[in-house]
């Protein structure tokens, strides 16, 4: 059980680092999901099942859907001009 809790803690830290480092827009959402699953598993191993369920419901259902919707809006702005980005328009 101790190794399992340490593994969950490591996954939580790695998920937090994936959110903080943000190498691409889409990897931050994967890091957020990894951190929330690891945090929920950590709370579940401590016996706090209601907090684990609340974490899953807030982050995996609500926050993840809002974040993916925001990413689709940002990506749509770059493709609206036929592949010409806003930076290219500024150079013209």
């Amino acid at each position: 059980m101790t190794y399992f809790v340490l593994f969950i803690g490591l996954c939580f830290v790695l998920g937090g680092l994936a959110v903080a480092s943000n190498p691409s827009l889409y990897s931050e959402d994967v890091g957020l999901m990894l951190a929330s699953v690891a945090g929920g598993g950590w709370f579940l191993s401590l016996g706090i099942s209601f907090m684990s369920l609340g974490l899953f419901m807030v982050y995996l259902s609500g926050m993840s859907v809002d974040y993916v919707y925001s990413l689709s809006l940002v990506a749509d702005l770059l493709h609206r001009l036929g592949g010409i980005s806003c930076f290219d328009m500024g150079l013209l």
Side-chain angles (χ1 to χ4, degrees), residues 22-90:
N22 193 10
S24 89
L25 293 174
Y26 299 104
S27 66
E28 186 174 346
D29 190 36
V30 172
L32 182 67
M33 283 192 247
L34 178 67
S36 69
V37 167
W42 190 27
F43 283 139
L44 198 59
S45 71
L46 292 174
I48 311 171
S49 60
F50 181 74
M51 186 65 119
S52 174
L53 180 65
L55 188 70
F56 283 138
M57 289 181 69
V58 168
Y59 280 109
L60 288 182
S61 63
M63 296 290 289
S64 181
V65 169
D66 293 339
Y67 185 73
V68 169
Y69 180 71
S70 300
L71 282 178
S72 67
L73 288 177
V74 169
D76 187 38
L77 291 175
L78 296 177
H79 296 293
R80 189 171 293 173
L81 297 173
I84 301 172
S85 67
C86 296
F87 180 72
D88 295 334
M89 292 300 290

